[in-house]
Amino acid sequence: MKILVINGPNLNLLGQREPGIYGEQTLESINSDLSARAAELKVALSFFQSNSEGEIVDMIQSASGVFNAIIINPAAYTHTSVAIRDAISAVAIPTVEVHLSNVYNREEFRHKSLIAPVVLGQIAGFGPQGYELALKGLMGYLMKS
Ligand code: DQA
């Protein structure tokens, strides 16, 4: 089982970026915790972070036939990117959308996700644990299908 974990813009700054909202853990440390969980579940993870919409689209396209599932935190592109939404829809790989914060109790512009209608499910508000919940949910889904 191979799962691709994609993080979008500004998530490379986790740890120093608005810690009151996003916590103090760095992306590297979140990824390392997730890798440990994946190893227990015998899943191979690949990690990708980019601040660029086009690079994220390219990565989703290249996942076709390589990865069984995708976990994505599209960050600000969640609310703006038709291109990322269309890429997820095009590859038809089971995908879970993760947000560290509960986007629904924040500014109104964060309440709309262009990505949500094309993913298996969305997890928001659980901090870094959201990635592990996504992994667990995807494993359950993939085992049944
Ligand atoms: C985020 C929420 C987005 O609204 C925001 O633009 C981010 C991070 C989250 O993980 O809570 O960059 O995706």
Side-chain angles (χ1 to χ4, degrees):
M1 211 65 93
K2 288 171 77 177
I3 297 184
L4 174 63
V5 182
I6 301 177
N7 279 286
N10 300 306
L11 294 172
N12 55 313
L13 299 180
L14 287 178
Q16 35 165 308
R17 175 192 180 200
E18 300 181 90
I21 296 174
Y22 298 116
E24 303 205 333
Q25 211 177 342
T26 63
L27 186 58
E28 200 183 5
S29 155
I30 292 171
N31 288 348
S32 132
D33 286 355
L34 194 60
S35 291
R37 189 81 193 89
E40 288 165 18
L41 296 169
K42 308 221 177 315
V43 183
L45 296 184
S46 289
F47 295 100
F48 179 73
Q49 189 279 327
S50 176
N51 294 325
S52 149
E53 186 177 23
E55 282 181 12
I56 294 171
V57 169
D58 287 343
M59 183 51 74
I60 293 167
Q61 287 186 10
S62 69
S64 205
V66 180
F67 291 97
N68 304 92
I70 297 174
I71 295 171
I72 185 167
N73 183 345
Y77 289 139
T78 305
H79 319 296
T80 63
S81 180
V82 176
I84 291 176
R85 173 202 172 113
D86 285 353
I88 293 170
S89 206
V91 296
I93 297 171
T95 298
V96 174
E97 175 186 348
V98 172
H99 299 287
L100 295 155
S101 65
N102 179 354
V103 284
Y104 300 101
N105 67 13
R106 299 183 60 197
E107 301 95 326
E108 201 161 340
F109 67 84
R110 295 185 205 275
H111 297 180
K112 174 84 183 160
S113 167
L114 298 188
I115 310 301
V118 297
V119 295
L120 199 56
Q122 185 198 57
I123 295 163
F126 290 96
Q129 202 200 342
Y131 294 95
E132 288 187 24
L133 295 172
L135 181 61
K136 215 173 156 204
L138 273 171
M139 289 309 286
Y141 174 84
L142 292 170
M143 293 305 182
K144 273 196 215 145
S145 55

